[in-house]
Amino acid sequence: MIEKSIREQIIALMKREVVPAVGCTEPMAVALCVSRATEALGCRPEKITALLSANILKNAMGVGIPGTGMIGLPIAIALGALIGKSEYQLEVIKDVCPEAIEQGKQYINEGRIDIRLKQGNCDKLYIEILCEGGGHTASAIIQGSHTHFVRVARDNEVLLDEQAGHSSDCDEGDIALNLRLVYDFALEAPIDEIRFILETRDYNLKAAQESLKGNYGHCLGKTLDRPLSHGIFGNTIFSRILSKTALACDARMGGALIPVMSNSGSGNQGICATNPVAVYALENENTEEETIRALTLSHLTAIYIKQSLGKLSALCGCVVASIGSSCGITYLMGGDFDRICFAVKNMIANLTGMICDGAKPSCALKITSGVSTALLSAVLAMEGRHVTSAEGIIDDDVDRSIRNLTSIGADAMCATDKMVLDIMTGKDC
């Protein structure tokens, strides 16, 4: 049995990284930063300047803002100032209403918002907001993770300053994970200590159900559940897993005011780590305990991989979350640690290199590709088959295989990230 102190550290990490969010987490993090700066200012800002890292800009340009029917940062920033509450964290604008939307549109039309790329070196996740009004100024900075404020100031008074010695992607006290520790924790932890993970199932399957009430994004989830798709994919566990996962993503990327449970700062990662595992468990009639342990394995695997990849990268987050869901499904199929390692290697061999070109409705397509591969990798692993160290970037050691993946995503694909942003910002539309 893992020592209690170690279990407590892992649980604390999970509870910090697996949290509710309304809408895409990048524009919501910007709105959160705006709300904190506005609160420090003490009045409605007359002017807001946002200095953002390239990755924040990329992930916020094309995504729907919940409850508004609008896309992109300006309305998120306006609502952060007008009705945002920093205490809500990534649900910062959940009080949005038609009146606030109209006020937000007017705020934008008056030219009160200035959005710029942060110049010089900064974290991939960096948000700096300057609010001016009533003869005063206030600023707030989020850095490293979506809710981590490192500086808040009003005029010359510093209200918070944690920039010195800041670690960009994880707290210094975070426990260093490996796949064996993740597996042992998921299977050995007293069930009542990890029962909280069922909230991910409750949130994210509800999001899929709510998505059926509208036509969000590209309606991929609905399309997968229609007769034409059943004629191709069948009315199977496979097709239902794809549909339930895509439905939740459709709603989230399409701007539905529906909360989801996120993972490592991403709602899509939370959906992708949850719904495939939860649907398979329901279809396979696994017990509640097995479901809890599978969801824990899935989410903690994703958190582990993100420790070395970083919160934002050029690598699509569905790659990471799908690896987690493949582990969870392999466990539900009766797989042991060796079979789970096989599934991870199969995933890395297949999906490495899928680029992130921002948060947007078509993310549902990428998630569906990831989940399809997760199921394929699990089935292959249960047959005792896996990609070997003689092939590509796979190593005999599963943790080294994961580091090969994250090194490519965090380091080698930096030029790709820059090119993607250049393409996105250079379009006429």
Side-chain angles (χ1 to χ4, degrees):
M1 175 69 73
I2 299 173
E3 293 179 11
K4 184 178 181 181
S5 61
I6 300 297
R7 298 202 311 271
E8 288 174 346
Q9 290 182 66
I10 295 174
I11 289 168
L13 174 62
M14 290 185 68
K15 288 186 174 181
R16 188 172 68 251
E17 298 292 358
V18 181
V19 296
V22 173
C24 177
T25 48
E26 277 71 53
M28 290 306 99
V30 175
L32 173 63
C33 201
V34 171
S35 71
R36 184 72 175 270
T38 300
E39 290 162 2
L41 185 66
C43 65
R44 178 178 292 189
E46 298 163 11
K47 177 74 180 292
I48 300 174
T49 302
L51 302 174
L52 309 175
S53 64
N55 286 78
I56 290 290
L57 278 174
K58 180 182 74 173
N59 280 346
M61 288 173 59
V63 70
I65 305 303
T68 68
M70 300 174 68
I71 289 173
L73 281 168
I75 190 63
I77 290 172
L79 292 176
L82 297 173
I83 55 99
K85 294 181 181 178
S86 64
E87 65 194 73
Y88 291 167
Q89 297 285 287
L90 292 178
E91 296 179 283
V92 57
I93 63 167
K94 68 179 181 179
D95 292 337
V96 65
C97 61
E99 181 182 356
I101 296 168
E102 290 306 311
Q103 291 177 359
K105 291 178 180 177
Q106 181 179 349
Y107 199 85
I108 294 167
N109 292 336
E110 290 171 352
R112 298 184 182 276
I113 298 171
D114 183 14
I115 301 170
R116 307 178 194 171
L117 177 67
K118 175 69 175 179
Q119 299 299 319
N121 293 326
C122 67
D123 279 8
K124 290 184 177 181
L125 199 166
Y126 182 90
I127 302 164
E128 181 177 348
I129 300 297
L130 176 65
C131 292
E132 305 172 52
H136 298 277
T137 62
S139 62
I141 297 174
I142 285 176
Q143 182 177 339
S145 65
H146 292 76
T147 59
H148 186 202
F149 285 93
V150 297
R151 184 176 173 84
V152 179
R154 184 178 192 271
D155 295 331
N156 295 321
E157 181 184 2
V158 177
L159 306 176
L160 171 72
D161 189 358
E162 295 183 2
Q163 286 183 303
H166 171 67
S167 176
S168 63
D169 287 309
C170 58
D171 291 348
E172 291 181 4
D174 279 354
I175 185 169
L177 299 171
N178 58 64
L179 195 62
R180 182 81 226 193
L181 178 58
V182 167
Y183 175 83
D184 288 345
F185 173 83
L187 268 64
E188 295 177 7
I191 199 66
D192 286 340
E193 291 185 7
I194 56 175
R195 189 176 298 277
F196 68 89
I197 203 67
L198 283 178
E199 286 188 77
T200 64
R201 179 192 66 184
D202 298 340
Y203 268 80
N204 295 347
L205 287 184
K206 182 179 180 181
Q209 190 64 31
E210 290 293 314
S211 182
L212 291 170
K213 298 176 182 179
N215 290 317
Y216 299 107
H218 299 294
C219 295
L220 179 60
K222 281 187 170 183
T223 300
L224 287 167
D225 200 31
R226 287 175 176 156
L228 176 61
S229 294
H230 286 170
I232 297 171
F233 300 109
N235 187 9
T236 61
I237 295 176
F238 175 71
S239 66
R240 288 190 286 276
I241 286 174
L242 295 186
S243 178
K244 294 292 187 185
T245 308
L247 276 166
C249 181
D250 284 335
R252 180 173 176 270
M253 294 288 94
L257 196 61
I258 300 171
V260 301
M261 197 67 78
S262 65
N263 182 298
S264 303
S266 167
N268 280 348
Q269 286 171 196
I271 291 166
C272 201
T274 302
N275 287 17
V277 176
V279 174
Y280 185 89
L282 288 169
E283 296 275 354
N284 198 46
E285 299 182 351
N286 289 99
T287 66
E288 181 177 81
E289 178 173 344
E290 289 168 338
T291 302
I292 291 170
R293 296 197 182 282
L295 287 169
T296 300
L297 178 59
S298 179
H299 278 275
L300 194 55
T301 298
I303 292 168
Y304 160 45
I305 297 171
K306 294 292 282 188
Q307 281 187 330
S308 55
L309 180 62
K311 289 291 192 298
L312 299 177
S313 75
L315 188 70
C316 177
C318 83
V319 174
V320 174
S322 297
I323 292 172
S325 60
S326 189
C327 292
I329 290 169
T330 302
Y331 163 75
L332 292 173
M333 289 176 171
D336 57 10
F337 180 68
D338 286 340
R339 294 297 192 273
I340 286 166
C341 290
F342 292 171
V344 171
K345 292 177 181 180
N346 293 339
M347 290 293 294
I348 294 172
N350 193 337
L351 285 183
T352 298
M354 182 183 288
I355 65 168
C356 172
D357 55 344
K360 59 208 174 305
S362 61
C363 285
L365 288 164
K366 293 188 177 185
I367 279 181
T368 302
S369 296
V371 174
S372 300
T373 303
L375 289 160
L376 176 63
S377 296
V379 169
L380 194 61
M382 290 304 294
E383 292 290 322
R385 298 186 178 278
H386 65 94
V387 180
T388 70
S389 60
E391 305 171 70
I393 64 171
I394 301 304
D395 195 284
D396 287 329
D397 181 87
V398 68
D399 293 296
R400 281 199 291 269
S401 296
I402 289 170
R403 285 194 293 274
N404 292 342
L405 165 72
T406 59
S407 294
I408 290 170
D411 301 323
M413 293 178 70
C414 289
T416 301
D417 219 15
K418 183 179 183 303
M419 176 62 73
V420 167
L421 183 65
D422 288 345
I423 291 170
M424 291 174 65
T425 56
K427 291 190 291 187
D428 294 332
C429 57

